[in-house]
Amino acid sequence: MVTVDHLVKDYGTLRAVDGVSFTINKGDILGFLGPNGAGKSTTMKMITGFLTPTSGTVTVDGLDVSKNPIEVKRQIGYLPESSAAYPEMTVVEFLTYVAEARGIRDPEELNSRLADVIVNCHLDSVKYRAIENLSKGYRQRVGVAQAIIHDPKVLILDEPTDGLDPNQKHEVRKLIQAMSKDKAIVLSTHILEEVEAICNRVIIIDQGKVLVDETPAEFKARIPGASIDEVFRDLTKGSALA
């Protein structure tokens, strides 16, 4: 579904991403990990077409992101780390705006999509409230809702459970798992237990390079008896923790 091939991103003399390559298949929930400044967000922004790579390619469902940016964006749902929204809009107004921008204008389809994401993201109790008056947890759920409203084939989620309480985290994880049956999902998170709970693959990136690409079980087996946090710290020692 997604192929990242020798991706490089330079900012002047700083190489933020250095020859990253991997593939993501339908059904994958890929835990994308690394210390702060490792190149995770930059890589995800290049996959979505938000940033242009210095070199290398990304293809989504057979389409080159650089050559077919609009077509690729139709296939992707993206939740950035700081999900932007119009604070004066209500939840329903904002999600309607996003859906229409995504080309969903038939009233019946629009109402159906809105109803689905409001239920799945547990937004019914706040759907007529202005986003600026919502808690951080509810704003995060609005961010997840806008990422999935057009039923994309690929989901790029940067810290999707940030700010949620344990029950809300559990619900979002269940939603991600349910959606993974017919999607390819990239999940960047600081919560390493989340990777163990729902991901079937782990990639660790450090100083712009891929260190690990394996299953969570293989990753934990690197240090028998250790937690996933301990293995991560051992691999990335010397770097700031993610």
Side-chain angles (χ1 to χ4, degrees):
M1 189 69 76
V2 179
T3 301
V4 176
D5 188 19
H6 292 92
L7 211 56
V8 172
K9 183 63 178 179
D10 293 333
Y11 294 101
T13 59
L14 172 66
R15 178 150 291 185
V17 176
D18 189 5
V20 166
S21 297
F22 58 87
T23 59
I24 314 163
N25 300 310
K26 187 168 91 169
D28 277 345
I29 304 178
L30 172 66
F32 198 46
L33 311 177
N36 288 333
K40 303 186 302 295
S41 292
T42 300
T43 300
M44 289 189 289
K45 287 175 181 176
M46 287 190 284
I47 294 173
T48 63
F50 185 80
L51 285 178
T52 301
T54 302
S55 63
T57 59
V58 179
T59 57
V60 176
D61 201 21
L63 297 170
D64 187 304
V65 174
S66 297
K67 295 176 181 176
N68 306 278
I70 302 300
E71 291 85 349
V72 167
K73 287 179 174 65
R74 291 192 180 107
Q75 308 294 334
I76 291 178
Y78 179 38
L79 174 67
E81 187 173 2
S82 298
S83 182
Y86 292 103
E88 70 280 4
M89 284 184 171
T90 67
V91 172
V92 167
E93 287 171 342
F94 177 65
L95 294 177
T96 299
Y97 166 76
V98 172
E100 290 177 345
R102 288 288 192 177
I104 304 168
R105 295 188 175 90
D106 175 73
E108 187 174 340
E109 182 184 8
L110 178 59
N111 289 334
S112 175
R113 294 287 180 89
L114 283 171
D116 283 347
V117 297
I118 285 170
V119 168
N120 288 332
C121 296
H122 301 275
L123 290 166
D124 192 64
S125 64
V126 299
K127 62 185 176 182
Y128 297 122
R129 288 176 57 183
I131 291 171
E132 63 188 351
N133 295 328
L134 299 180
S135 67
K136 183 178 181 181
Y138 274 116
R139 290 198 302 270
Q140 190 70 357
R141 284 193 251 179
V142 172
V144 174
Q146 65 79 28
I148 66 175
I149 196 163
H150 58 301
D151 193 24
K153 294 181 179 179
V154 176
L155 272 177
I156 311 293
L157 305 174
D158 199 349
E159 303 291 343
T161 61
D162 183 42
L164 304 185
D165 67 32
N167 290 332
Q168 293 166 347
K169 287 177 182 177
H170 178 69
E171 292 301 326
V172 170
R173 289 172 187 172
K174 278 173 52 181
L175 176 61
I176 292 169
Q177 285 181 304
M179 292 189 299
S180 70
K181 295 173 185 176
D182 58 357
K183 301 184 191 304
I185 299 176
V186 179
L187 170 67
S188 176
T189 179
H190 287 82
I191 306 167
L192 298 187
E193 68 180 46
E194 202 153 74
V195 173
E196 197 169 5
I198 65 172
C199 295
N200 67 321
R201 283 177 59 204
V202 176
I203 284 181
I204 292 182
I205 185 172
D206 192 13
Q207 299 180 39
K209 296 182 178 181
V210 172
L211 298 183
V212 168
D213 183 354
E214 56 198 20
T215 67
E218 290 169 337
F219 181 62
K220 282 191 70 177
R222 287 171 171 266
I223 304 178
S227 69
I228 195 167
D229 299 64
E230 290 169 330
V231 179
F232 176 85
R233 288 197 298 271
D234 183 72
L235 278 170
T236 59
K237 55 191 172 189
S239 300
L241 287 179

